[in-house]
Amino acid sequence: MIRLWDLGQQRCVHSYAVHTDSVWALASTPSFSHVYSGGRDLSLYLTDLATRESLLLCTGEHPILQLAMHDDSIWVATTDSSVHRWPAEGRNPQKAFQRGGSFLAGNLSFSRARVSLEGSTPVPVFKEPTLTIPGTPGIVQHEILNNRRHVLTKDTAGSVKLWEITRGIVVTDYGKVSFEEKKEELFEMVSIPAWFTVDTRLGSLSIHLDTPQCFSAEMYSADLNIAGKPEDDKVNLARETLKGLLAHWLAKRKQRFGSQPSANGDLLSGKDISHRSITHSRIEIDSNAENDSMVYPPFEFSTVYPPSIITEGSHGGPWRKKITDFDGTEDEKDFPFWCLDCVLNNRLPPRENTK
């Protein structure tokens, strides 16, 4: 049901029963004489608010979520990841009604109480969009595996994939197989603390790290197949993942600032940040021997398909940037301090706080 409200009277003055299910998106002409509507019934309608005449412009395979007018066309976003552009006669909507097939909108919710002007069921005016921007299938199901390094996902196309979180890539595409059967097949009898959470509500794989819980998981270097490192050395998964994510930023920072000593010749640590002049970078790289800055292969992220970091620093709101877009000028105003303290100074929260 579409409702027209009078804000002065604070009441609904007209109702238009056009759709057979919930209306989720609206867009009007600049003069507010006509309105385009779409929703759960997969259909896009054009309605004259004065005459109540409506026209079915098109139907699709997915519910409509958003509409956006552009010149004589309208962009339609659905629960599918692709975006379509349809003809809409936005500058002169009456042209669309000249094609015939219109009907009078009823005024009872979901009743389809229409008086068809031509005595027939509405037929879509347009069969195909004029342009489609293809998207990738969205993730609709996921499972974190026991090794806490892999996540199994299933997308809208039915494809099941295995992701390696510490590298941000798909390591295996199983195709259209049973998600439950593949989950059972990949089960391992191991116990590693949960150090991240997963969110797929936007159709993509988002990994959340929260301190100090994210630093609770460790593995032996032998289990990670890290060459040149003692087999019994423990590797903190979150710390190495952060180092891999910020490797490009760290390299750019070294190129831009180098190792700038303080007055007494020592490199500044996180404790000394507040004493630096605001005209200079306020984070320095701790290059002492104890700071292992090497990024190991199990934590190397792709620069061809780089992941994005979404976070917020001490100033302003959240921001998003690909890991290859960092220019080295970002500091604690942009990143959480605990993240920089881990990457630059190799410091983790006290052990008792990570349990």
Side-chain angles (χ1 to χ4, degrees):
M1 175 71 76
I2 302 172
R3 290 184 172 87
L4 180 63
W5 291 77
D6 186 313
L7 297 182
Q9 300 180 36
Q10 297 185 359
R11 68 183 183 90
C12 175
V13 293
H14 291 291
S15 296
Y16 306 85
V18 176
H19 293 264
T20 58
D21 211 326
S22 303
V23 179
W24 289 351
L26 293 172
S28 69
T29 57
S31 62
F32 206 69
S33 60
H34 296 74
V35 65
Y36 298 85
S37 59
R40 194 173 179 179
D41 61 357
L42 322 180
S43 302
L44 175 65
Y45 289 93
L46 169 63
T47 302
D48 187 323
L49 297 178
T51 65
R52 306 184 67 86
E53 190 176 359
S54 292
L55 184 68
L56 176 60
L57 295 180
C58 63
T59 57
E61 299 178 355
H62 304 277
I64 296 174
L65 298 178
Q66 295 286 342
L67 300 173
M69 299 294 302
H70 184 258
D71 296 332
D72 273 345
S73 302
I74 186 167
W75 288 95
V76 179
T78 68
T79 53
D80 180 38
S81 55
S82 298
V83 180
H84 307 280
R85 186 181 69 187
W86 293 85
E89 301 292 354
R91 292 194 178 97
N92 187 6
Q94 285 303 129
K95 285 185 179 180
F97 290 103
Q98 295 174 5
R99 298 173 180 267
S102 60
F103 58 89
L104 290 181
N107 54 15
L108 299 176
S109 180
F110 306 135
S111 66
R112 301 285 290 215
R114 297 167 170 169
V115 180
S116 177
L117 300 183
E118 297 181 356
S120 62
T121 302
V123 176
V125 174
F126 305 107
K127 303 299 183 182
E128 298 291 337
T130 56
L131 179 65
T132 295
I133 301 177
T136 57
I139 295 174
V140 293
Q141 190 174 3
H142 73 272
E143 181 74 22
I144 302 174
L145 302 189
N146 282 8
N147 62 22
R148 301 297 175 181
R149 291 179 57 223
H150 295 97
V151 173
L152 191 68
T153 64
K154 181 179 180 180
D155 59 33
T156 53
S159 181
V160 177
K161 299 177 182 179
L162 183 66
W163 293 76
E164 187 169 349
I165 298 306
T166 55
R167 290 197 293 158
I169 61 172
V170 174
V171 291
T172 308
D173 186 344
Y174 298 107
K176 296 182 179 181
V177 299
S178 170
F179 182 85
E180 295 300 325
E181 290 180 3
K182 184 58 63 175
K183 182 176 68 174
E184 293 180 6
E185 178 186 328
L186 295 173
F187 176 80
E188 295 181 68
M189 191 64 72
V190 294
S191 179
I192 296 177
W195 59 281
F196 65 87
T197 57
V198 174
D199 187 348
T200 59
R201 286 176 295 179
L202 295 180
S204 58
L205 193 62
S206 297
I207 306 300
H208 296 257
L209 299 180
D210 292 305
T211 187
Q213 296 86 358
C214 65
F215 296 110
S216 62
E218 294 180 335
M219 291 181 65
Y220 287 107
S221 58
D223 296 329
L224 293 168
N225 298 317
I226 299 178
K229 195 172 178 66
E231 293 184 354
D232 58 349
D233 271 11
K234 287 186 176 181
V235 176
N236 189 285
L237 298 182
R239 177 173 61 191
E240 299 305 320
T241 300
L242 286 172
K243 284 163 55 179
L245 284 170
L246 297 180
H248 180 83
W249 168 78
L250 196 56
K252 287 289 185 180
R253 195 167 193 82
K254 286 181 178 179
Q255 293 175 7
R256 182 178 291 269
F257 300 111
S259 297
Q260 300 179 7
S262 62
N264 60 7
D266 298 326
L267 286 173
L268 293 179
S269 65
K271 297 178 181 178
D272 304 313
I273 287 174
S274 60
H275 301 297
R276 279 296 303 268
S277 168
I278 60 173
T279 61
H280 299 285
S281 168
R282 297 177 64 197
I283 293 287
E284 287 300 334
I285 300 165
D286 181 4
S287 60
N288 64 51
E290 297 180 358
N291 186 22
D292 186 1
S293 60
M294 179 184 297
V295 177
Y296 301 110
F299 304 93
E300 291 179 343
F301 287 83
S302 171
T303 56
V304 178
Y305 301 104
S308 296
I309 292 179
I310 303 176
T311 187
E312 60 181 329
S314 59
H315 302 291
W319 53 268
R320 173 178 176 171
K321 188 179 290 188
K322 290 183 179 179
I323 60 173
T324 52
D325 290 341
F326 293 127
D327 58 13
T329 61
E330 298 85 4
D331 55 21
E332 80 283 355
K333 295 190 301 295
D334 305 301
F335 292 111
F337 179 75
W338 62 268
C339 177
L340 297 184
D341 201 27
C342 168
V343 174
L344 298 180
N345 301 318
N346 212 28
R347 284 197 290 257
L348 302 182
R351 177 67 62 180
E352 59 271 15
N353 290 341
T354 63
K355 296 181 180 179

